[in-house]
Amino acid sequence: MPDQSHVGRRYEANGQVVDGAGARAFAQAIAGSDEVYAASVVPPTYAAVYCLFPTLYQLFGDAEVGVSLAGLVHGEQSFTWPNPVRSGDVVDATAVIASVEDKRGMTFLGIDHEAHRQDGETVCRGHSLMIIR
Amino acid sequence: MSAITNSPLTSAVVGDQMTPLARTVTQEQINAYADASGDHNPIHVDPEFARAVGLPGTIAHGFLEMAILTEAVARWAGGYERVGEVSCRFSKPLLPGETVTCTGHVVTVDDSNGTAALELEATSSSGDRVLTNGRATVRLAR
């Protein structure tokens, strides 16, 4: 189980190419059977794919931290997008364990995310709160 | 459905209501989101697994709901590039076949940097508040 000693652990996923076809499929999935909104733009929450998941899966696979996926719930999420990301951009993503708290018999894991484009500009900052029951 | 591109929002006043966005989320859409996002957690796509862990059946990805909430903000503000921040709490599950309705209102306007902040919420057609503590910041066009 995560504990205080894991705060500060950092995971990196460098050189993620923002895939245009992938972003279009993502936009279509958001729309469902409705018309896709702003089809030529990468949806901001595509950050889940280019920023969060590649680093989170490393964290979840970190045996020393020992996150139990069976009891894992995504509690809260925030995103800030200082600059747009476009298809073809190459993004470096990081995740850092920001906090570990035990409350009401559950563990609350706070994770800070950041992603930069090839020109160094920040395209996404995020904070995830994961609850492990 | 309204026009796909609307003109960018140039001003906002505290209390302004965001144009609500309602979307019915089917299992087919949840499956498509699983494929597009790479999140194939069985609670979203495998009804038997979902029931075995105490859910009424599969549930939508919280991130799918958050994506629809972000689209609602973008439609109101006049484009995804106008959306600076979005945050929310995943409070209750949204089940396939239910309609999620995203609402919001302006809580602050900062004329010095041309931004407006909103409080947001998403409710399901069964009456659950599925996304709570929602916040967004939009960049007003000048």
Side-chain angles (χ1 to χ4, degrees):
Chain A
M1 271 303 234
D3 62 46
Q4 287 298 320
S5 73
H6 300 127
V7 172
R9 271 192 192 232
R10 185 183 168 90
Y11 306 88
E12 296 186 2
N14 293 331
Q16 314 264 351
V17 178
V18 178
D19 171 45
R24 281 192 294 280
F26 190 87
Q28 183 66 62
I30 296 169
S33 54
D34 286 345
E35 195 171 350
V36 176
Y37 175 70
S40 62
V41 179
V42 176
T45 58
Y46 194 59
V49 173
Y50 72 74
C51 181
L52 267 61
F53 293 156
T55 49
L56 279 177
Y57 291 148
Q58 293 178 39
L59 191 168
F60 296 155
D62 185 341
E64 289 175 30
V65 177
V67 172
S68 158
L69 290 180
L72 188 73
V73 174
H74 194 174
E76 296 176 17
Q77 183 65 46
S78 67
F79 282 121
T80 303
W81 298 287
N83 293 287
V85 72
R86 300 185 175 90
S87 37
D89 279 349
V90 181
V91 170
D92 293 342
T94 58
V96 177
I97 297 179
S99 60
V100 180
E101 281 183 76
D102 287 318
K103 283 189 289 195
R104 306 189 295 275
M106 298 181 282
T107 301
F108 290 72
L109 181 63
I111 304 151
D112 287 334
H113 304 273
E114 198 161 308
H116 302 271
R117 286 194 304 230
Q118 61 278 359
D119 61 0
E121 295 290 341
T122 304
V123 288
C124 179
R125 289 191 195 89
H127 185 78
S128 307
L129 184 68
M130 301 288 172
I131 304 165
I132 306 161
R133 298 188 286 193
Chain B
M1 193 56 62
S2 59
I4 275 302
T5 48
N6 50 322
S7 46
L9 194 68
T10 54
S11 65
V13 176
V14 172
D16 280 357
Q17 299 290 312
M18 181 181 81
T19 311
L21 177 64
R23 183 160 294 155
T24 301
V25 175
T26 61
Q27 184 62 52
E28 186 182 22
Q29 183 176 4
I30 295 169
N31 295 346
Y33 187 85
D35 289 339
S37 70
D39 181 351
H40 290 280
N41 186 324
I43 61 170
H44 305 304
V45 294
D46 182 344
E48 265 180 49
F49 180 92
R51 281 190 289 270
V53 297
L55 294 166
T58 56
I59 62 171
H61 302 74
F63 264 139
L64 172 56
E65 299 159 42
M66 191 179 191
I68 296 169
L69 184 70
T70 303
E71 181 186 324
V73 176
R75 283 178 180 272
W76 175 76
Y80 273 137
E81 68 279 10
R82 299 266 152 225
V83 183
E85 301 175 349
V86 175
S87 59
C88 64
R89 177 177 293 169
F90 305 109
S91 292
K92 295 270 181 147
L94 178 74
L95 307 181
E98 290 188 327
T99 301
V100 62
T101 301
C102 304
T103 57
H105 62 277
V106 176
V107 288
T108 57
V109 178
D110 186 338
D111 286 319
S112 66
N113 64 6
T115 60
L118 298 101
E119 283 182 0
L120 304 166
E121 186 170 281
T123 53
S124 72
S125 41
S126 60
D128 283 336
R129 297 167 71 215
V130 293
L131 301 180
T132 60
N133 287 37
R135 298 276 302 188
T137 306
V138 300
R139 306 177 185 106
L140 301 170
R142 312 203 200 185

